[in-house]
Amino acid sequence: MSAERQADNEGVERVTDDMSWAEVTPDAARRLLIAAVEAFAERGYHATTTRDIASRAGMSPAALYIHYRTKEDLLLRISRIGHEKALEILVEAAAREGTATERLADAVRSFVRWHASRHLTARVVQYELDSLGEEHRPEIIALRRRSDATVREMINDGVKAGEFDVPDIPGTALAVLSLCIDVARWFNTEGRRTPDEVGALYADLVLRMVGARVP
Protein backbone atom coordinates (compact mmCIF):
# COMPACT_ATOMS: atom_id res chain seq x y z
CA MET A 1 0.00 0.00 0.00
CA SER A 2 1.39 3.44 -0.93
CA ALA A 3 2.03 6.12 1.68
CA GLU A 4 -0.74 8.23 0.18
CA ARG A 5 -3.27 5.42 0.32
CA GLN A 6 -2.20 4.61 3.86
CA ALA A 7 -2.71 8.27 4.82
CA ASP A 8 -6.22 8.06 3.41
CA ASN A 9 -6.99 5.05 5.49
CA GLU A 10 -5.91 7.03 8.53
CA GLY A 11 -8.43 9.75 7.70
CA VAL A 12 -6.03 12.22 6.08
CA GLU A 13 -7.26 13.79 2.84
CA ARG A 14 -5.20 12.84 -0.18
CA VAL A 15 -4.44 15.81 -2.46
CA THR A 16 -5.23 15.17 -6.12
CA ASP A 17 -4.85 18.85 -6.96
CA ASP A 18 -5.14 21.81 -4.61
CA MET A 19 -8.93 21.68 -4.32
CA SER A 20 -9.65 21.41 -0.59
CA TRP A 21 -13.34 20.40 -0.72
CA ALA A 22 -13.65 21.87 2.77
CA GLU A 23 -17.40 22.36 2.29
CA VAL A 24 -17.90 18.60 2.02
CA THR A 25 -18.46 17.00 5.41
CA PRO A 26 -18.05 14.71 7.26
CA ASP A 27 -14.52 13.52 6.55
CA ALA A 28 -15.71 10.20 5.11
CA ALA A 29 -17.93 11.96 2.57
CA ARG A 30 -15.01 14.18 1.53
CA ARG A 31 -12.68 11.21 1.15
CA LEU A 32 -15.20 9.45 -1.07
CA LEU A 33 -15.68 12.56 -3.17
CA ILE A 34 -11.93 13.04 -3.66
CA ALA A 35 -11.62 9.37 -4.60
CA ALA A 36 -14.43 9.85 -7.13
CA VAL A 37 -12.66 12.85 -8.67
CA GLU A 38 -9.51 10.75 -9.11
CA ALA A 39 -11.40 7.81 -10.60
CA PHE A 40 -13.59 9.87 -12.93
CA ALA A 41 -10.58 11.86 -14.17
CA GLU A 42 -8.53 8.71 -14.75
CA ARG A 43 -11.14 6.29 -16.11
CA GLY A 44 -14.18 8.37 -17.00
CA TYR A 45 -17.52 8.37 -15.21
CA HIS A 46 -19.09 5.39 -16.97
CA ALA A 47 -16.05 3.12 -16.57
CA THR A 48 -15.84 3.82 -12.84
CA THR A 49 -17.78 1.69 -10.36
CA THR A 50 -18.83 2.54 -6.83
CA ARG A 51 -16.51 -0.24 -5.72
CA ASP A 52 -13.59 1.54 -7.45
CA ILE A 53 -14.42 4.75 -5.57
CA ALA A 54 -14.78 3.08 -2.18
CA SER A 55 -11.54 1.17 -2.67
CA ARG A 56 -9.62 4.37 -3.47
CA ALA A 57 -11.04 5.94 -0.32
CA GLY A 58 -9.99 2.94 1.75
CA MET A 59 -13.61 2.15 2.60
CA SER A 60 -16.09 -0.63 1.97
CA PRO A 61 -18.57 -0.29 -0.93
CA ALA A 62 -21.44 -0.23 1.53
CA ALA A 63 -19.95 2.83 3.26
CA LEU A 64 -20.40 4.90 0.10
CA TYR A 65 -24.19 4.63 0.25
CA ILE A 66 -24.25 6.12 3.73
CA HIS A 67 -23.18 9.45 2.21
CA TYR A 68 -24.29 9.27 -1.44
CA ARG A 69 -27.37 7.55 -2.83
CA THR A 70 -25.80 6.86 -6.22
CA LYS A 71 -22.65 7.36 -8.25
CA GLU A 72 -24.47 10.16 -10.09
CA ASP A 73 -25.06 11.97 -6.79
CA LEU A 74 -21.30 12.05 -6.35
CA LEU A 75 -20.80 13.47 -9.84
CA LEU A 76 -23.49 16.07 -9.26
CA ARG A 77 -21.86 17.24 -6.01
CA ILE A 78 -18.47 17.49 -7.71
CA SER A 79 -19.93 19.29 -10.71
CA ARG A 80 -22.02 21.72 -8.67
CA ILE A 81 -19.17 22.76 -6.37
CA GLY A 82 -16.71 23.00 -9.26
CA HIS A 83 -18.99 25.12 -11.41
CA GLU A 84 -19.84 27.39 -8.50
CA LYS A 85 -16.13 27.93 -7.77
CA ALA A 86 -15.38 28.67 -11.43
CA LEU A 87 -18.31 31.08 -11.70
CA GLU A 88 -17.22 32.85 -8.50
CA ILE A 89 -13.82 33.55 -10.07
CA LEU A 90 -15.39 35.20 -13.11
CA VAL A 91 -17.96 37.19 -11.14
CA GLU A 92 -15.33 38.53 -8.74
CA ALA A 93 -13.09 39.62 -11.61
CA ALA A 94 -15.99 41.28 -13.43
CA ALA A 95 -16.93 43.26 -10.31
CA ARG A 96 -13.45 44.65 -9.64
CA GLU A 97 -12.44 48.24 -10.29
CA GLY A 98 -10.57 48.89 -13.51
CA THR A 99 -10.96 49.01 -17.25
CA ALA A 100 -12.68 46.28 -19.22
CA THR A 101 -9.25 45.22 -20.48
CA GLU A 102 -7.93 44.86 -16.93
CA ARG A 103 -11.00 42.99 -15.73
CA LEU A 104 -11.07 40.57 -18.65
CA ALA A 105 -7.35 39.87 -18.30
CA ASP A 106 -7.78 39.25 -14.58
CA ALA A 107 -10.76 36.98 -15.19
CA VAL A 108 -8.92 34.87 -17.76
CA ARG A 109 -5.74 34.71 -15.71
CA SER A 110 -7.63 33.53 -12.61
CA PHE A 111 -9.98 31.20 -14.51
CA VAL A 112 -7.12 29.49 -16.33
CA ARG A 113 -5.03 29.23 -13.15
CA TRP A 114 -7.97 27.49 -11.46
CA HIS A 115 -8.34 25.00 -14.32
CA ALA A 116 -4.60 24.26 -14.29
CA SER A 117 -3.99 23.99 -10.55
CA ARG A 118 -7.17 21.93 -10.12
CA HIS A 119 -6.90 20.11 -13.44
CA LEU A 120 -8.21 16.74 -12.21
CA THR A 121 -11.28 18.31 -10.64
CA ALA A 122 -11.81 20.66 -13.59
CA ARG A 123 -11.53 17.79 -16.06
CA VAL A 124 -14.42 16.01 -14.36
CA VAL A 125 -16.42 19.20 -13.83
CA GLN A 126 -16.12 20.40 -17.41
CA TYR A 127 -16.14 17.17 -19.42
CA GLU A 128 -18.63 14.89 -17.66
CA LEU A 129 -21.75 17.04 -18.10
CA ASP A 130 -23.36 14.53 -20.45
CA SER A 131 -23.00 11.82 -17.80
CA LEU A 132 -25.57 13.61 -15.64
CA GLY A 133 -29.19 12.58 -16.15
CA GLU A 134 -31.97 14.87 -17.30
CA GLU A 135 -32.99 15.54 -13.70
CA HIS A 136 -29.63 17.08 -12.76
CA ARG A 137 -28.16 18.44 -15.98
CA PRO A 138 -30.27 21.65 -16.14
CA GLU A 139 -28.86 22.86 -12.82
CA ILE A 140 -25.30 22.64 -14.14
CA ILE A 141 -26.22 24.11 -17.52
CA ALA A 142 -27.68 27.12 -15.68
CA LEU A 143 -24.34 27.68 -13.93
CA ARG A 144 -22.52 27.44 -17.26
CA ARG A 145 -24.85 30.00 -18.77
CA ARG A 146 -24.10 32.39 -15.92
CA SER A 147 -20.38 32.01 -16.63
CA ASP A 148 -20.99 32.72 -20.30
CA ALA A 149 -23.10 35.77 -19.46
CA THR A 150 -20.38 37.13 -17.17
CA VAL A 151 -17.68 36.87 -19.84
CA ARG A 152 -20.06 38.26 -22.44
CA GLU A 153 -20.78 41.27 -20.24
CA MET A 154 -17.08 42.03 -19.78
CA ILE A 155 -16.48 41.86 -23.52
CA ASN A 156 -19.52 44.03 -24.18
CA ASP A 157 -18.22 46.60 -21.69
CA GLY A 158 -14.93 46.70 -23.58
CA VAL A 159 -16.66 47.18 -26.90
CA LYS A 160 -18.76 50.03 -25.51
CA ALA A 161 -15.67 51.68 -24.04
CA GLY A 162 -13.81 51.42 -27.34
CA GLU A 163 -11.24 49.04 -25.83
CA PHE A 164 -12.23 45.93 -27.82
CA ASP A 165 -13.01 45.31 -31.47
CA VAL A 166 -15.40 42.35 -31.40
CA PRO A 167 -18.04 41.92 -34.13
CA ASP A 168 -19.56 38.78 -32.55
CA ILE A 169 -19.71 39.11 -28.75
CA PRO A 170 -21.58 35.83 -27.99
CA GLY A 171 -19.29 33.82 -30.25
CA THR A 172 -16.18 35.41 -28.80
CA ALA A 173 -17.32 34.79 -25.22
CA LEU A 174 -17.84 31.12 -26.07
CA ALA A 175 -14.38 30.96 -27.67
CA VAL A 176 -12.76 32.55 -24.61
CA LEU A 177 -14.41 30.09 -22.23
CA SER A 178 -13.59 27.11 -24.44
CA LEU A 179 -9.95 28.15 -24.66
CA CYS A 180 -9.66 28.51 -20.88
CA ILE A 181 -11.55 25.34 -19.99
CA ASP A 182 -9.45 23.20 -22.33
CA VAL A 183 -6.45 23.79 -20.06
CA ALA A 184 -7.88 21.16 -17.71
CA ARG A 185 -7.67 18.57 -20.48
CA TRP A 186 -3.96 18.94 -21.25
CA PHE A 187 -2.30 20.53 -18.21
CA ASN A 188 0.47 18.46 -16.67
CA THR A 189 2.09 19.34 -13.35
CA GLU A 190 5.39 18.06 -14.74
CA GLY A 191 5.17 20.35 -17.78
CA ARG A 192 7.37 23.38 -18.31
CA ARG A 193 4.72 25.99 -17.40
CA THR A 194 3.19 26.63 -13.99
CA PRO A 195 -0.52 27.45 -13.57
CA ASP A 196 0.43 31.12 -13.09
CA GLU A 197 2.44 31.14 -16.30
CA VAL A 198 -0.33 29.50 -18.29
CA GLY A 199 -2.80 32.02 -16.85
CA ALA A 200 -0.61 34.93 -17.90
CA LEU A 201 -0.14 33.48 -21.39
CA TYR A 202 -3.86 32.95 -21.92
CA ALA A 203 -4.74 36.42 -20.61
CA ASP A 204 -2.42 37.86 -23.26
CA LEU A 205 -3.91 35.62 -25.97
CA VAL A 206 -7.49 36.60 -25.09
CA LEU A 207 -6.70 40.32 -25.09
CA ARG A 208 -5.25 39.93 -28.57
CA MET A 209 -8.34 37.96 -29.57
CA VAL A 210 -10.66 40.83 -28.62
CA GLY A 211 -8.44 43.47 -30.22
CA ALA A 212 -7.31 45.09 -26.98
CA ARG A 213 -4.10 47.06 -26.78
CA VAL A 214 -1.52 44.72 -25.26
CA PRO A 215 1.53 46.38 -23.66
Side-chain angles (χ1 to χ4, degrees):
M1 180 181 294
S2 70
E4 288 186 341
R5 183 59 53 81
Q6 182 177 353
D8 263 351
N9 290 341
E10 294 171 354
V12 178
E13 178 179 324
R14 181 166 67 254
V15 178
T16 57
D17 44 34
D18 66 355
M19 188 86 165
S20 70
W21 302 104
E23 60 274 89
V24 180
T25 57
D27 177 70
R30 183 168 59 253
R31 287 166 56 197
L32 285 163
L33 186 140
I34 292 170
V37 169
E38 288 183 335
F40 294 159
E42 179 184 320
R43 306 184 62 183
Y45 174 80
H46 291 295
T48 299
T49 67
T50 54
R51 184 176 293 276
D52 293 333
I53 296 167
S55 176
R56 283 175 182 263
M59 301 166 69
S60 70
L64 186 147
Y65 296 106
I66 296 174
H67 303 283
Y68 302 98
R69 291 181 306 163
T70 64
K71 183 175 73 168
E72 186 175 339
D73 277 356
L74 260 170
L75 178 61
L76 177 63
R77 189 85 188 274
I78 294 164
S79 191
R80 181 191 295 126
I81 293 173
H83 277 90
E84 287 173 347
K85 296 282 188 185
L87 175 60
E88 181 182 350
I89 289 168
L90 295 175
V91 169
E92 287 182 353
R96 290 191 180 107
E97 296 291 333
T99 65
T101 299
E102 291 168 340
R103 288 185 289 120
L104 182 61
D106 186 38
V108 170
R109 192 161 40 242
S110 301
F111 197 63
V112 166
R113 187 168 56 236
W114 187 87
H115 280 79
S117 62
R118 298 159 177 81
H119 56 284
L120 293 184
T121 296
R123 198 179 306 158
V124 176
V125 167
Q126 300 291 3
Y127 293 105
E128 289 288 1
L129 175 64
D130 289 342
S131 298
L132 290 171
E134 293 298 327
E135 177 185 357
H136 298 134
R137 199 177 305 155
E139 175 187 349
I140 305 305
I141 290 175
L143 289 169
R144 288 184 177 227
R145 286 176 176 164
R146 288 176 61 190
S147 292
D148 179 79
T150 303
V151 173
R152 191 181 304 186
E153 182 179 0
M154 283 188 282
I155 295 174
N156 189 48
D157 287 346
V159 171
K160 287 181 178 179
E163 298 177 41
F164 302 159
D165 180 14
V166 178
D168 182 349
I169 293 174
T172 303
L174 178 61
V176 169
L177 283 169
S178 297
L179 181 70
C180 296
I181 287 169
D182 196 54
V183 169
R185 183 184 57 79
W186 60 261
F187 185 81
N188 187 330
T189 53
E190 297 180 359
R192 64 188 184 91
R193 295 186 191 272
T194 66
D196 284 339
E197 289 169 340
V198 177
L201 171 64
Y202 275 51
D204 180 77
L205 291 173
V206 167
L207 291 185
R208 295 178 191 278
M209 181 190 301
V210 298
R213 291 184 180 180
V214 180

